[in-house]
Amino acid sequence: VESTLRRPPDVRRAAVDERLGSFLEFVRSRSDWHRDRLEGLDIGAVTSLDMSSLPTMNKRDLHDHWDEIVTDPDLTLDRANRHLDSLVRDGFSFALGRYVITATGGSTGVRSVIACDTDAWAFFNAGFLAPTRDSRPSSHDTGPVVQGRLVAQSAIHASGATAAIAGGSVADYVQVPPSMPIAEGVELLNGAQPTALGGYPSLLHLMALEQLAGRLNITPTSVTSAGEPLQAETRAIVLDAFGIETQNNYGSSEGFFGMSWRGSQLLNLTQDMTIVELVDADNQPVPPGTQSAKMLITNLANRLQPLIRYEITDEVTEAVIDRDSDDPTLNPPGPWTGRWIHPPQGRADDWFDYDGTIVHPHIFRSQLAAVPEIAEYQVAQTKAGADINVVVTRAIDQSATGAAVAGELGRLGLDNPEVRIETVDAIERHPDSGKLRRFIPI
């Protein structure tokens, strides 16, 4: 898998197109739902550069037609949900002895139940491990890896399933889930002395603060982020605390999308197994340099639950590459070929709509990130403005911070915006994934 990252673009594309044709033929013959939707289409004419003849699908389609989409009639949504219930009670196991079942997205309204076989699971993790290893400097220790994992521990989430399946083989995993008190997590990491640290950026940020405060004392040789947008302030504080650039990777339970080269800002779209289309609200492709309204993904590895042009509401911009530039945001370092994107900073459903006045989450992020004492925050939209909970390292001027945010909302056209700032001990995370949902619309 590592070698494919360095192949010439046309060679990579030809391999993907061959894989795509085989995938579509299999899906049309085995999935009742997709068979009806693909009927009459010339599958042989479809390429990874032009998927427009194929219909799209979304989270609601997946939920409502789950049984007809899955290619094994023995696996139903009811059986999958009962298996997820058993994971909560008893820990990880394979559904029907051979399938990995996870759940995602419950905090956004409709829960997605994702099913894959062991081959698809292996490809998913190879897509993550290959660029991680390929971009690791040769000076780094290549001995046994102890990985501190700052992610969800629940077996119904992809990170928990990965730890249960791969723990002890790929690496020795030390789990510090979001539900664990910070002091307990610090003690665990100090005892384990992980050689690699990875997880949600919000938790990496907190652990970096602990390192700077002297309570955490570890020397990892790599730091990777996943599961949430990596903000500039987190990247900076991790570098300050550990002396290492954060390697950012991007994916979801539905598919792996890309990773940065040795901590660089741009992400390489590793489309060998997941085809990614960047489109506008009408599913039309957007050119490089233009922010998409969403993504459409086709996961070629997962033949159990085929996702064809599946909608994910991440707003992503493909980078305009200039190989003569010294700017790393225009000319990515490293030998990887293919497309590059700017790291996604949010989803279209993170935007707040105040009676037609649309507010991007950056309006809040830019003001809250400017207060270094704020370690975490969560913004809940109200009719007149926002209620913001913050976790702080030292006391802040809540009135001044609220006024700064309100001033930005007023400049956008809100009439007399009201912003409440409240200091809390902790912010509640999603009970299954452990992720922090920063923006909650009405």
Side-chain angles (χ1 to χ4, degrees):
V1 176
E2 290 173 33
S3 63
T4 67
L5 298 167
R6 302 171 182 239
R7 286 180 180 175
D10 57 335
V11 175
R12 288 183 71 178
R13 189 160 51 247
V16 171
D17 287 345
E18 181 178 355
R19 196 172 293 127
L20 171 62
S22 173
F23 171 78
L24 292 175
E25 290 290 356
F26 175 88
V27 172
R28 186 162 62 179
S29 68
R30 297 288 293 273
S31 169
D32 293 340
W33 191 71
H34 283 300
R35 180 185 300 114
D36 293 340
R37 287 157 51 85
L38 297 176
E39 184 177 0
L41 295 180
D42 183 5
I43 287 178
V46 178
T47 70
S48 56
L49 290 179
D50 185 5
M51 308 272 285
S52 59
S53 63
L54 302 177
T56 63
M57 59 187 297
N58 57 32
K59 185 177 290 190
R60 175 56 67 181
D61 292 328
L62 181 61
H63 179 272
D64 292 349
H65 302 283
W66 207 94
D67 292 358
E68 305 99 271
I69 291 172
V70 169
T71 57
D72 183 347
D74 290 336
L75 185 62
T76 64
L77 180 58
D78 179 67
R79 176 169 280 177
N81 278 322
R82 283 189 277 115
H83 181 75
L84 288 171
D85 290 340
S86 76
L87 299 184
V88 175
R89 294 192 311 269
D90 308 322
F92 180 80
S93 64
F94 290 100
L96 301 180
R98 57 189 182 275
Y99 299 140
V100 180
I101 308 292
T102 58
T104 184
S107 62
T108 59
V110 180
R111 181 169 88 157
S112 294
V113 177
I114 306 300
C116 67
D117 58 23
T118 52
D119 284 345
W121 182 89
F123 272 116
F124 182 101
N125 284 275
F128 168 74
L129 290 172
T132 301
R133 292 175 54 189
D134 194 48
S135 67
R136 184 171 55 199
S138 58
S139 59
H140 282 198
D141 181 20
T142 58
V145 175
V146 178
Q147 186 176 101
R149 290 172 55 83
L150 312 180
V151 291
Q153 195 170 24
S154 171
I156 75 170
H157 190 258
S159 59
T162 297
I165 297 171
S169 56
V170 175
D172 290 330
Y173 289 147
V174 180
Q175 293 282 100
V176 181
S179 57
M180 181 179 290
I182 290 296
E184 187 176 333
V186 166
E187 182 179 1
L188 187 60
L189 291 175
N190 280 336
Q193 287 297 302
T195 55
L197 189 65
Y200 301 149
S202 56
L203 290 182
L204 288 172
H205 193 112
L206 292 178
M207 286 303 174
L209 290 173
E210 293 295 306
Q211 180 91 352
L212 291 172
R215 292 182 288 271
L216 180 65
N217 185 18
I218 59 176
T219 55
T221 60
S222 67
V223 176
T224 59
S225 71
E228 299 168 348
L230 176 61
Q231 307 296 345
E233 59 267 26
T234 297
R235 187 188 292 273
I237 201 167
V238 167
L239 178 60
D240 191 21
F242 301 110
I244 301 171
E245 291 280 2
T246 304
Q247 185 173 35
N248 193 15
N249 69 81
Y250 177 37
S252 70
S253 298
E254 293 89 349
F256 180 77
F257 311 139
M259 181 174 285
S260 64
W261 169 266
R262 294 187 184 173
S264 62
Q265 183 176 355
L266 296 182
L267 298 166
N268 181 255
L269 282 179
T270 53
Q271 294 197 96
D272 300 280
M273 295 309 300
T274 305
I275 298 173
V276 178
E277 301 173 75
L278 306 181
V279 298
D280 62 19
D282 297 319
N283 295 326
Q284 297 302 305
V286 298
T290 301
Q291 182 174 269
S292 72
K294 53 188 172 180
M295 301 164 47
L296 302 175
I297 70 162
T298 302
N299 186 342
L300 303 180
N302 191 353
R303 295 190 171 197
L304 174 64
Q305 185 186 52
L307 301 179
I308 301 176
R309 307 193 81 201
Y310 179 81
E311 181 180 298
I312 292 181
T313 56
D314 287 5
E315 299 171 320
V316 175
T317 302
E318 183 173 349
V320 178
I321 302 303
D322 178 4
R323 288 302 181 185
D324 294 325
S325 174
D326 294 327
D327 184 346
T329 66
L330 299 176
N331 186 6
W336 295 343
T337 62
R339 300 160 66 197
W340 296 81
I341 61 171
H342 295 279
Q345 296 300 309
R347 297 189 169 195
D349 45 18
D350 283 340
W351 292 57
F352 290 171
D353 185 344
Y354 295 93
D355 295 327
T357 298
I358 306 300
V359 176
H360 190 278
H362 175 72
I363 297 301
F364 299 97
R365 282 201 301 260
S366 61
Q367 296 301 316
L368 298 172
V371 183
E373 294 82 9
I374 295 179
E376 281 190 329
Y377 59 86
Q378 185 177 62
V379 183
Q381 182 187 10
T382 64
K383 289 185 177 181
D387 288 343
I388 305 175
N389 289 336
V390 297
V391 177
V392 299
T393 57
R394 291 191 300 274
I396 66 170
D397 187 335
Q398 296 178 191
S399 177
T401 303
V405 175
E408 292 297 305
L409 295 177
R411 275 187 280 277
L412 289 173
L414 270 69
D415 187 24
N416 297 319
E418 298 176 4
V419 176
R420 180 192 62 84
I421 306 287
E422 181 177 348
T423 299
V424 297
D425 293 331
I427 294 175
E428 185 177 355
R429 293 170 177 265
H430 188 272
D432 294 333
S433 70
K435 292 183 182 180
L436 174 62
R437 189 178 186 196
R438 293 197 185 275
F439 302 96
I440 304 173
I442 293 176

